[in-house]
Amino acid sequence: MTGGMVIDQWRTPEEAREAGWAALVGGEDFFLTPDWMRVLQDSAGAWMAYLTATEEAGLVAALPMVLADHGSPWALGRTDLLIRHCAAEGMAGAADVLAGFGDPDRLMPSMMCGGRHLGRTRLLLHPDATPRSAHDVVERAERTAALHGCRSICFPYVDASDRVQRQVLAERGYISHVSGQFAALTLPGEGFMDYAMALPSRRSRRVRAERRRIEASDAVISLEPLDPAEVPRLAALETELFAKYGMAGWDPRRSEAVLYAAAERLGDRALVTKAVLDGRIAGFGLVLSHGGDWFAHRAGFDYAAQGGLPLYYELLYYTLADHAPRHGVKTVHYGIGSTAAKVSRGCTLSTQSLYVKELG
């Protein structure tokens, strides 16, 4: 207990839910919902815990934590690997942070805070919460990390708009660098054509031409709830995507674990856009529904089967633009990575920053 605040630590998302966690979750916080945190706890194979802070008026703050070590296969969600990646990509400040630590292996194991997702990892705060409350919760997280033998504590993707969290972390001695750009798309009008016509004229012509190529092909495009029977094929396609982009050692069973858990825990809130060619799935996108927002989370493609068809754009943009109105969706969140491609299809960006503190 800190002053008038009680900070509790929970081992399961269900316990956190009972403590009132969901009351702090906003429209952009799907990955911090208890249901999704259960998906991760079922599939990540890592120690996880959840802090809640309660004052007399009720719950004021909540923070998920996950312990990452040298065996954690999270290239963009693990302190040492993320710092190296950001420095290699030339992200602002990352080279200086890397040079300051010398070898970021010294930071491992590391307690990752704010959710194990790529973009907008954060401390959930009630609108009336004070910076003092945020300080107290982060301090508890630091003590928990030290208790579990962590050499550092890290908030990997703090959004530029999250002013209180950034202020508190800076005051507590965290150092930071840019770790990505979070992309989101606000869909105008009703359907694909309204979306396409809202783009700059040259880009609009290209997008409409890509849609015509899909329509003239034999690809059967659909948006349906995630079917567990299709999980092995989807996992194989995601593994092929990872191999194309340099992650040749990815085990498809990791993809299967997340997809099976999503189907079980989320039901029809886990949607899949699919392209079927010659009776076989040649591409997919996993889309997670949260209120009036969609979160494009995973994808995979049979690159030999798709040939030159623009399945990535069709499944992750054009099909979603078509279906969004009937689902009451106006915003699609795409997270980090492939920034140029996302901006080319109308996304806006918000800067993400890694904050890390070495523990004595």
Side-chain angles (χ1 to χ4, degrees):
M1 184 169 179
T2 306
M5 177 189 291
V6 176
I7 300 177
D8 293 301
Q9 181 173 313
W10 313 100
R11 287 305 311 273
T12 72
E14 291 74 26
E15 291 173 335
R17 188 201 303 272
E18 288 297 316
W21 184 287
L24 300 182
V25 174
E28 297 182 348
D29 294 323
F30 170 80
F31 295 113
L32 295 175
T33 61
D35 285 342
W36 182 254
M37 292 190 301
R38 168 48 64 186
V39 169
L40 292 182
Q41 190 153 323
D42 286 349
S43 60
W47 181 93
M48 295 184 178
Y50 312 88
L51 299 180
T52 58
T54 307
E55 296 178 348
E56 185 176 353
L59 193 68
V60 295
L63 180 69
M65 303 180 293
V66 56
L67 199 158
D69 57 28
H70 284 107
S72 302
W74 313 326
L76 298 182
R78 202 177 98 182
T79 305
D80 58 334
L81 298 182
L82 183 54
I83 292 174
R84 286 192 178 101
H85 167 80
C86 293
E89 293 293 312
M91 295 187 191
D96 290 339
V97 171
L98 179 61
F101 285 123
D103 185 353
D105 283 350
R106 66 191 269 185
L107 301 174
M108 302 302 292
S110 184
M111 190 68 76
M112 315 302 296
C113 295
R116 210 194 68 70
H117 51 280
L118 306 185
R120 292 180 175 163
T121 50
R122 71 186 191 94
L123 168 68
L124 292 169
L125 290 173
H126 188 278
D128 296 330
T130 65
R132 181 69 261 165
S133 300
H135 269 284
D136 290 346
V137 175
V138 174
E139 180 182 24
R140 173 63 177 271
E142 292 168 4
R143 288 193 281 113
T144 300
L147 182 66
H148 283 81
C150 292
R151 295 179 177 178
S152 68
I153 183 168
C154 179
F155 291 72
Y157 298 100
V158 179
D159 195 85
S161 66
D162 202 339
R163 292 185 295 274
V164 172
Q165 179 167 284
R166 289 164 51 214
Q167 172 190 336
V168 166
L169 295 177
E171 289 173 352
R172 296 194 62 81
Y174 288 69
I175 60 175
S176 67
H177 64 72
V178 171
S179 55
Q181 299 290 333
F182 189 95
L185 174 65
T186 300
L187 292 167
E190 301 290 329
F192 168 79
M193 191 55 70
D194 285 348
Y195 156 72
M197 295 305 292
L199 297 170
S201 58
R202 188 173 181 179
R203 182 63 58 186
S204 176
R205 288 193 297 272
R206 179 169 180 175
V207 164
R208 284 178 284 144
E210 289 174 341
R211 169 49 76 91
R212 289 194 296 270
R213 287 173 60 194
I214 295 291
E215 292 173 337
S217 74
D218 294 328
V220 178
I221 308 295
S222 63
L223 174 69
E224 302 169 356
L226 172 59
D227 182 352
E230 295 177 342
V231 163
R233 176 59 177 166
L234 304 186
L237 294 175
E238 183 175 50
T239 301
E240 187 169 340
L241 178 147
F242 286 153
K244 180 178 180 179
Y245 292 101
M247 296 175 62
W250 183 260
D251 186 341
R253 290 175 295 183
R254 295 176 186 161
S255 297
E256 289 182 7
V258 175
L259 292 167
Y260 279 128
E264 178 183 356
R265 299 290 178 178
L266 302 178
D268 61 8
R269 287 177 292 161
L271 302 170
V272 171
T273 54
K274 293 184 296 184
V276 176
L277 287 166
D278 297 324
R280 189 168 173 81
I281 301 173
F284 85 97
L286 177 65
V287 181
L288 307 170
S289 179
H290 178 57
D293 291 26
W294 275 343
F295 294 76
H297 182 53
R298 309 178 89 87
F301 303 93
D302 181 333
Y303 292 101
Q306 80 170 23
L309 287 177
L311 291 188
Y312 166 75
Y313 290 121
E314 176 60 41
L315 296 179
L316 275 301
Y317 293 88
Y318 311 158
T319 295
L320 298 188
D322 267 337
H323 287 268
R326 73 193 69 173
H327 290 266
V329 169
K330 294 296 294 183
T331 303
V332 183
H333 303 272
Y334 290 95
I336 67 165
S338 304
T339 301
K342 291 169 180 174
V343 170
S344 76
R345 294 310 185 271
C347 290
T348 57
L349 303 176
S350 183
T351 298
Q352 311 293 290
S353 295
L354 175 148
Y355 283 76
V356 61
K357 181 177 183 179
E358 194 166 13
L359 299 174

